[in-house]
Amino acid sequence: MKTKIPEEKKYLWQLTIDEFRDLHQELNKGKTYEYGIQGIAKIFGCSKAKAYSIKSSGVIDDAISQNGKIIVIDVERALRLFANKNA
């Protein structure tokens, strides 16, 4: 006879597919980031040249953290800033 294991005592291999999917979605609710000019191009679905002009325009500066050549973009914030600029 199988006994029910309390949720907090389960091992990862004991999860059902649905439980694992729910756990994965719960853990990935945090912010999403993209990196570099390529990341900006991916967010806005444009070329690298257009992505560079978006970055240079200053519209999404509050969503960008840059240290030297490393660029990190908060995706949600960048989209929100870009939408507000175009509204």
Side-chain angles (χ1 to χ4, degrees):
M1 184 168 146
K2 249 184 169 177
T3 59
K4 179 128 173 96
I5 301 169
E7 290 295 317
E8 64 274 359
K9 299 287 184 180
K10 275 189 175 182
Y11 293 101
L12 186 60
W13 60 269
Q14 292 174 313
L15 297 177
T16 65
I17 292 172
D18 288 333
E19 290 171 333
F20 180 74
R21 186 180 308 126
D22 292 342
L23 177 63
H24 181 65
Q25 288 174 349
E26 183 73 26
L27 293 174
N28 289 328
K29 277 187 180 177
K31 293 187 175 194
T32 54
Y33 298 98
E34 286 293 335
Y35 304 93
I37 297 296
Q38 183 88 21
I40 296 172
K42 184 177 174 185
I43 292 168
F44 296 108
C46 61
S47 67
K48 284 185 182 180
K50 182 65 177 174
Y52 186 76
S53 69
I54 291 170
K55 181 185 178 302
S56 297
S57 72
V59 174
I60 61 170
D61 278 353
D62 289 339
I64 295 175
S65 298
Q66 185 167 357
N67 186 3
K69 292 183 178 182
I70 299 171
I71 302 171
V72 180
I73 306 102
D74 180 345
V75 174
E76 291 178 31
R77 194 168 186 189
L79 290 171
R80 199 173 332 115
L81 290 168
F82 193 75
N84 289 342
K85 186 254 182 199
N86 289 330

